[in-house]
């Protein structure tokens, strides 16, 4: 079961509640009348002024990389050719639900943000890219009733870890498979149909729409994050909107995970963090400085009985299974990491695997077409950094926790959409 909560101070309008009808989570998709009453689809008098405000507020993309939104918008605007804009709602991280929740419950907010992005970049058409059927139905209903000022198509894809990577999005919108391609060119240079293309996460677009409609609370809106908090299978999960800099302890306590010995940051992208995790803030720069990553904002807290070696092994095995199998270094690298970790978890490694795992975790990042290989390498690197004693304890001896059957197909990290 997943709860939906907002920790934003009263009056600081977020994405989980309407600026006007501040009555808690939506029971269903927001209709046009309600969205218009909340200030939606407000006229845009100056594209440059809105773009400058986004830059001044420091709004970052919410898809995982945290790239400055204004820089991306300007790059697409300034590229030669008539741009295309894409709302990317394909959540590859199994522990994240924010994008599907927004698409299901607040589709007009996303379409409004897409409209504004098109205006700022000069785009002539837009796409909504997703894999979730209830989200698709909500978006199509919203498209049928919204102001028709931008031609928008819905593109459905199969749900995989790599399907939301920006070049995979472009490839699928163009009619191909949802698989990453080599870079350059980046989509802002040559994307859908060869045109400069903005691939923007749906939360990013939603925040653009809210800060345009509610300029008085724009700073709070730009800094807040939607965070998916989860723990062991069967425990309470939650989608929470939180102010920038919120410490992880607050989020863990909300879900009853205050005694967790560790947290898996950013879905499977940010790695494992042990001692000191309660004091970590939700902040891209400070999490990066601590050796982790905020990623898509998914946090998975371990149970005191969980073994971090087992959790890391499951995470890397899931990533290896999700490889697009296009890059030889990714296939061989994730496979080697998964096999070596599995042997270590079972106490069956022929020799001490630590040096080999550490070397691979340093050599592999940046060598694949997408971030999957980087994610696997970071999980291993952070396991070795934060839990060296637990890794050593598996040498030549079976761990009773690791010996238990693991949840299949990444189920440990999967959260249902509220």
């Amino acid at each position: 079961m997943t709860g939906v909560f907002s920790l934003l101070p009263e009056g600081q309008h977020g994405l989980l509640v309407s600026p006007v009808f501040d009555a808690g989570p939506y029971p269903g998709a927001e209709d046009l009348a309600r969205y218009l009453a909340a200030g939606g689809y407000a006229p845009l008098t100056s594209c440059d002024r809105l773009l400058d405000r986004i830059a001044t507020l420091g709004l970052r993309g919410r898809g995982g990389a945290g790239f400055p939104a204004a820089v991306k918008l300007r790059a697409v605007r300034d590229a030669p050719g008539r741009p295309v804009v894409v709302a990317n709602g394909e959540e590859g991280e199994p522990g994240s639900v924010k994008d599907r929740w927004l698409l299901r419950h607040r589709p007009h907010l996303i379409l409004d943000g897409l409209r504004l992005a098109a205006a700022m970049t000069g785009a002539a058409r837009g796409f909504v890219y997703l894999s979730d059927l209830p989200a698709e139905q909500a978006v199509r209903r919203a498209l049928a009733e919204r102001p028709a000022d931008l031609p928008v198509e819905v593109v459905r894809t199969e749900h995989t870890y790599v399907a939301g990577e920006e070049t995979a999005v472009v490839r699928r919108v163009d009619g191909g498979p949802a698989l990453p391609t080599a870079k350059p060119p980046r989509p802002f240079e040559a994307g859908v149909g060869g045109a400069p293309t903005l691939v923007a996460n749906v939360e990013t677009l939603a925040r653009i729409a809210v800060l345009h409609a509610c300029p008085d609370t724009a700073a709070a809106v730009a800094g807040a994050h939607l965070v998916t908090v989860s723990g062991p299978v069967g425990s309470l999960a939650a989608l929470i909107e939180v102010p920038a800099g919120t410490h992880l302890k607050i989020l863990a306590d909300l879900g009853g995970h205050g005694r967790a010995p560790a947290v898996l940051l950013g879905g499977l992208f940010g790695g494992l963090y042990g001692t000191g995790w309660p004091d970590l803030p939700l902040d891209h720069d400070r999490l990066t400085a601590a050796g982790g990553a905020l990623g898509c904002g998914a946090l998975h807290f371990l149970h005191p009985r969980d073994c971090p070696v087992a959790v890391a092994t499951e995470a890397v095995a899931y990533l290896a299974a999700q490889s697009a199998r296009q890059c030889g270094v990714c296939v061989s690298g994730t496979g080697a990491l998964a096999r070596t970790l599995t042997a270590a978890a079972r106490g069956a490694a022929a020799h001490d695997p630590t040096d080999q795992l550490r070397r691979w975790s340093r050599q592999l990042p940046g060598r694949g077409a997408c971030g999957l290989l980087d994610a696997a390498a970071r999980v291993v690197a952070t396991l070795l950094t934060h839990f060296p004693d637990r890794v050593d304890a598996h040498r030549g001896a079976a761990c009773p926790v690791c010996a238990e059957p693991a949840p299949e197909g990444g189920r440990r990290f999967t959260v249902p959409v509220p």
Side-chain angles (χ1 to χ4, degrees):
M1 185 174 182
T2 313
V4 181
F5 310 97
S6 176
L7 299 186
L8 294 182
E10 186 175 353
Q12 293 186 358
H13 308 310
L15 308 187
L16 301 185
V17 291
S18 162
V20 171
F21 301 97
D22 193 4
Y26 290 96
E30 180 180 34
D31 63 19
L32 179 62
R34 181 172 182 173
Y35 187 64
L36 290 174
Y41 296 116
L44 179 59
T45 57
S46 172
C47 294
D48 289 340
R49 188 175 302 131
L50 177 58
L51 189 46
D52 288 344
R53 187 188 311 157
I54 291 169
T56 300
L57 292 168
L59 177 67
R60 293 191 178 197
R62 296 299 197 267
F67 194 76
V71 174
K72 200 170 183 179
L73 286 161
R74 285 175 172 146
V76 173
R77 180 198 63 184
D78 297 340
R82 192 67 187 272
V84 173
V85 289
V86 182
N88 184 6
E90 169 49 21
E91 286 182 299
E93 289 286 359
S96 178
V97 298
K98 67 184 183 68
D99 296 336
R100 283 168 290 169
W101 191 95
L102 286 171
L103 287 163
R104 291 183 185 189
H105 295 271
R106 303 216 63 187
H108 281 294
L109 191 64
I110 294 162
L111 294 176
D112 197 0
L114 191 65
R115 169 189 73 100
L116 295 168
M120 287 184 284
T121 59
R125 58 183 177 142
F127 294 87
V128 178
Y129 177 82
L130 44 72
S131 65
D132 182 57
L133 179 58
E136 180 183 2
Q137 293 169 338
V139 169
R140 290 192 183 278
R141 284 194 297 269
L143 282 171
E145 62 180 4
R146 64 156 188 143
D149 50 4
L150 175 72
V152 175
E153 298 177 42
V154 178
V155 176
R156 182 118 175 252
T157 189
E158 293 298 317
H159 174 69
T160 67
Y161 189 85
V162 301
E165 194 273 339
E166 62 175 4
T167 62
V169 173
V170 168
R171 196 172 178 184
R172 179 68 187 92
V173 172
D174 274 339
L179 298 173
T181 59
K183 298 172 278 290
R186 294 274 184 180
F188 79 86
E189 298 168 308
V192 175
T197 300
L198 176 77
V199 179
N201 173 260
V202 295
E203 183 188 348
T204 311
L205 294 171
R207 294 202 177 279
I208 289 173
V210 174
L211 66 86
H212 172 60
C214 307
D216 292 344
T217 61
V221 170
H225 291 270
L226 291 180
V227 180
T228 309
V229 176
S230 64
V233 174
S235 66
L236 174 68
L239 175 63
I240 311 173
E241 187 166 20
V242 298
T246 300
H247 285 81
L248 267 57
K249 176 173 173 39
I250 294 173
L251 300 174
D253 288 344
L254 276 175
H257 309 305
R259 295 178 56 243
V263 60
L264 190 62
L265 296 167
L268 305 182
F269 185 75
L272 278 162
Y273 204 98
T275 302
W277 68 257
D279 296 323
L280 289 176
L282 279 173
D283 178 89
H284 277 284
D285 294 335
R286 285 190 277 180
L287 285 179
T288 300
L294 178 57
C296 64
L299 304 172
H300 180 81
F301 292 95
L302 276 61
H303 189 275
R305 187 177 175 274
D306 284 337
C307 175
V309 178
V311 174
T313 300
E314 290 174 41
V316 174
Y318 175 81
L319 291 168
Q322 287 289 308
S323 170
R325 310 197 73 77
Q326 296 186 129
C327 304
V329 68
C330 179
V331 175
S332 60
T334 57
L337 290 172
R339 289 190 298 273
T340 304
L341 271 180
T342 298
R346 294 173 178 170
H351 52 80
D352 181 6
T354 303
D355 289 342
Q356 190 175 47
L357 287 170
R358 183 173 289 110
R359 184 173 66 255
W360 286 337
S361 70
R362 291 171 177 167
Q363 294 174 344
L364 292 174
R367 298 183 62 189
C370 68
L372 185 145
L373 182 59
D374 295 14
R378 182 178 279 120
V379 169
V380 173
T382 52
L383 172 71
L384 297 176
T385 297
H386 292 282
F387 302 98
D389 294 343
R390 299 296 295 271
V391 176
D392 288 344
H394 287 70
R395 196 179 306 164
C399 167
V401 176
C402 293
E404 295 177 359
E408 296 180 0
R411 190 167 64 87
R412 174 194 290 271
F413 312 110
T414 302
V415 177
V417 182

